[in-house]
């Protein structure tokens, strides 16, 4: 049964979507069947994996609001082992449409129950908010990965996110854990990046991943070409960073996947 990891931070511009795209692509390159679910109305993960959101007819919106079978929305990507459930701008109104539904926090959970056995990992890219879409993602997940940028006010708002995780754990998903905190946009040339990294490590201790995602031009360029960094420029620092992060996550989850033949390739 696949492990479901939400990537969440209500603060925008922290590398959340970049992490969703490139972590999923790296897991796929290591030959772990991986599904990305884009539940951000901005649809940047969808376009970043080469699918134009305007051409999408069946998306996660139709799954969560229209009751469409999630199997009917899955799209293949350029990478073997990597599939996508795309998003569409219609998702912007989903929370209003879901608000009167029974068990509205568990809609995504119920939708993906039948598909999770097909994948080793399911990565959910959450919107930059703590609304009903993000609550659905956290309720459906085994864990949450938190990207934190190495810039001023890096820890701003994280207390609210951690409180939301605590509430979800108490009332909706007792199994939810913090997969880890990943430092993003690290600039080796600045003292600030080192200071922020030290501060985050003091705050989160051993929950901070050893891998740090460096600020990298090729990583920033890749989405405009509809490709993850590992396809756009496999030799780039960004591609190598996310491959390292994927290996770190696989290592942390070896017990969960001890019966998986694919793990022996990692």
């Amino acid at each position: 049964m696949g492990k479901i990891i939400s990537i969440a931070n209500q603060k925008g511009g922290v590398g959340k979507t970049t992490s969703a795209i490139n972590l999923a692509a790296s897991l796929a390159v290591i030959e772990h069947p991986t599904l990305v679910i884009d539940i951000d109305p901005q649809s940047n993960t969808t376009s970043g994996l080469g699918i134009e959101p305007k051409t999408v007819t069946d998306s996660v919106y139709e799954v969560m609001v229209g009751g469409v079978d999630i199997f009917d929305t899955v799209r293949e990507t350029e990478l073997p082992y990597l599939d996508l459930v795309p998003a569409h701008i219609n998702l912007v109104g989903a929370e209003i449409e879901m608000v009167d539904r029974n068990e509205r926090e568990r809609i995504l959970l119920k939708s993906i129950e039948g598909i999770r056995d097909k994948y080793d990992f399911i990565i959910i890219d959450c919107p930059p908010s703590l609304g009903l879409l993000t609550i659905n993602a956290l309720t459906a997940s085994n864990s949450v990965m938190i990207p934190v940028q190495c810039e001023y006010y890096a820890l701003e708002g994280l207390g609210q996110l951690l409180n939301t995780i605590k509430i979800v754990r108490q009332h909706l998903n007792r199994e939810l854990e913090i997969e880890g905190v990943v430092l993003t946009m690290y600039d080796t040339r600045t003292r600030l990046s080192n200071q922020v990294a030290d501060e985050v490590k003091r705050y989160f201790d051993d929950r901070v991943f050893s891998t740090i995602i460096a600020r990298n031009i090729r990583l920033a360029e890749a989405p405009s070409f509809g490709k993850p960094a590992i396809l756009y420029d496999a030799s780039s620092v960004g591609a190598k960073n996310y491959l390292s992060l994927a290996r770190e996550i696989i290592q942390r989850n070896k017990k969960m996947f001890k019966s998986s033949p694919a793990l022996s390739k990692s």
Side-chain angles (χ1 to χ4, degrees), residues 2-14:
K3 179 160 192 181
I4 304 173
I5 304 174
S6 282
I7 300 183
N9 190 331
Q10 79 272 23
K11 188 176 180 182
V14 299

Side-chain angles (χ1 to χ4, degrees), residues 13-232:
V14 299
K16 179 181 57 62
T17 295
T18 298
S19 294
I21 293 170
N22 290 287
L23 172 60
S26 297
L27 290 168
V29 164
I30 306 172
E31 299 187 4
H32 282 276
T34 301
L35 175 68
V36 184
I37 302 177
D38 186 358
I39 63 165
D40 186 344
Q42 297 176 85
S43 310
N44 290 335
T45 292
T46 298
S47 59
L49 286 172
I51 295 173
E52 171 53 56
K54 291 180 181 178
T55 68
V56 172
T57 53
D58 288 325
S59 69
V60 73
Y61 169 80
E62 281 74 25
V63 171
M64 299 186 73
V65 174
V68 169
D69 192 317
I70 197 168
F71 279 98
D72 295 332
T73 70
V74 174
R75 304 278 291 266
E76 293 181 349
T77 71
E78 196 174 343
L79 274 172
Y81 296 99
L82 181 61
D83 291 339
L84 168 72
V85 173
H88 188 275
I89 189 61
N90 289 347
L91 199 58
V92 77
E95 295 191 352
I96 296 173
E97 296 179 69
M98 292 161 57
V99 73
D100 291 327
R101 294 268 298 273
N102 290 331
E103 295 197 303
R104 58 183 181 267
E105 301 89 355
R106 292 187 167 89
I107 294 172
L108 184 60
L109 171 64
K110 293 177 180 178
S111 298
I112 62 180
E113 281 178 345
I115 205 170
R116 64 183 300 181
D117 285 344
K118 186 180 175 183
Y119 300 97
D120 283 353
F121 291 96
I122 296 176
I123 306 297
I124 305 176
D125 182 24
C126 298
S129 69
L130 296 178
L132 192 50
L133 289 172
T134 297
I135 297 298
N136 261 266
L138 296 178
T139 301
S141 296
N142 300 110
S143 64
V144 54
M145 189 175 87
I146 305 170
V148 175
Q149 84 282 25
C150 293
E151 296 178 356
Y152 284 114
Y153 308 120
L155 298 178
E156 186 180 62
L158 280 184
Q160 187 180 0
L161 173 60
L162 294 175
N163 188 54
T164 298
I165 292 170
K166 180 181 178 181
I167 291 169
V168 170
R169 188 184 290 130
Q170 288 175 339
H171 299 286
L172 297 166
N173 180 7
R174 294 185 182 278
E175 306 304 316
L176 183 65
E177 298 179 346
I178 294 178
E179 185 73 26
V181 176
V182 58
L183 291 161
T184 63
M185 305 179 191
Y186 183 84
D187 190 338
T188 56
R189 300 167 299 177
T190 67
R191 182 181 300 175
L192 175 63
S193 282
N194 289 313
Q195 291 172 339
V196 172
D198 289 343
E199 184 180 7
V200 171
K201 287 173 183 176
R202 280 197 301 271
Y203 192 85
F204 287 102
D205 198 24
D206 60 355
R207 290 186 290 186
V208 180
F209 287 104
S210 298
T211 302
I212 295 176
I213 310 301
R215 188 178 290 279
N216 178 246
I217 295 297
R218 307 300 272 174
L219 190 62
E221 290 175 346
S224 64
F225 291 88
K227 295 178 181 290
I230 205 160
L231 285 182
Y232 180 63

Side-chain angles (χ1 to χ4, degrees), residues 206-265:
D206 60 355
R207 290 186 290 186
V208 180
F209 287 104
S210 298
T211 302
I212 295 176
I213 310 301
R215 188 178 290 279
N216 178 246
I217 295 297
R218 307 300 272 174
L219 190 62
E221 290 175 346
S224 64
F225 291 88
K227 295 178 181 290
I230 205 160
L231 285 182
Y232 180 63
D233 184 354
S235 66
S236 66
V237 170
K240 291 176 180 178
N241 286 165
Y242 277 106
L243 194 58
S244 174
L245 179 63
R247 293 189 183 281
E248 195 171 345
I249 286 176
I250 291 166
Q251 185 63 37
R252 288 189 180 196
N253 289 282
K254 268 195 177 290
K255 289 183 180 179
M256 186 171 184
F257 290 103
K258 61 184 177 182
S259 60
S260 171
L263 198 61
S264 62
K265 302 173 185 176

